[in-house]
Amino acid sequence: MAMNVEVAKCTKCGKLSYPTHFYCPSCHGTKFEPVPVGGEGRLLTWTRVYALPLDYAQLYVTLGIVELDMGVRATGRLEIAEPKTGARVRTHIGKVREINGKDITGLVFTAV
Ligand SMILES: [Zn+2]
């Protein structure tokens, strides 16, 4: 099952936004086209979440905010044992959690 996580690209000025806005933050345009999130970026900050709902299989999940080279910030799960702020990471699309046996797909970051 191939899935993409997409950002909105303003058709007027090309500015990328994520999550999607109603108006382009740069030119206030209202027309967007979806662009798949991908490539590499820099880890801005990360946190470990321990108080997980029962449907999580793991004890905790590590979440990070990444400044992607494509120009947007994205939140995702870190698959890095000892994350370091400022580290280079690579974007993947993967399973971030499971709800009632259904896989939920989202962004996963690994070390470059
Ligand atoms: Zn724009």
Side-chain angles (χ1 to χ4, degrees), residues 81-101:
E82 295 298 328
K84 285 188 182 68
T85 301
R88 299 286 300 167
V89 297
R90 184 171 289 130
T91 306
H92 304 269
I93 307 298
K95 180 180 146 180
V96 290
R97 64 184 293 191
E98 195 179 304
I99 296 176
N100 298 328

Side-chain angles (χ1 to χ4, degrees), residues 3-78:
M3 281 186 77
N4 280 331
V5 174
E6 291 168 336
V7 298
K9 182 183 181 184
C10 175
T11 57
K12 213 164 127 191
C13 73
K15 170 95 179 165
L16 299 174
S17 48
Y18 179 85
T20 311
H21 299 289
F22 287 111
Y23 296 96
C24 170
S26 175
C27 74
H28 299 103
T30 53
K31 285 199 168 63
F32 299 96
E33 59 184 17
V35 175
V37 172
E40 295 180 2
R42 194 173 63 87
L43 184 59
L44 291 178
T45 183
W46 62 276
T47 184
R48 234 163 229 171
V49 183
Y50 286 89
L52 296 178
L54 289 173
D55 50 79
Y56 272 90
Q58 318 97 303
L59 209 58
Y60 62 82
V61 66
T62 310
L63 298 176
I65 299 176
V66 172
E67 178 98 63
L68 292 169
D69 294 343
M70 66 190 295
V72 291
R73 285 180 185 189
T75 305
R77 189 165 63 79
L78 293 181

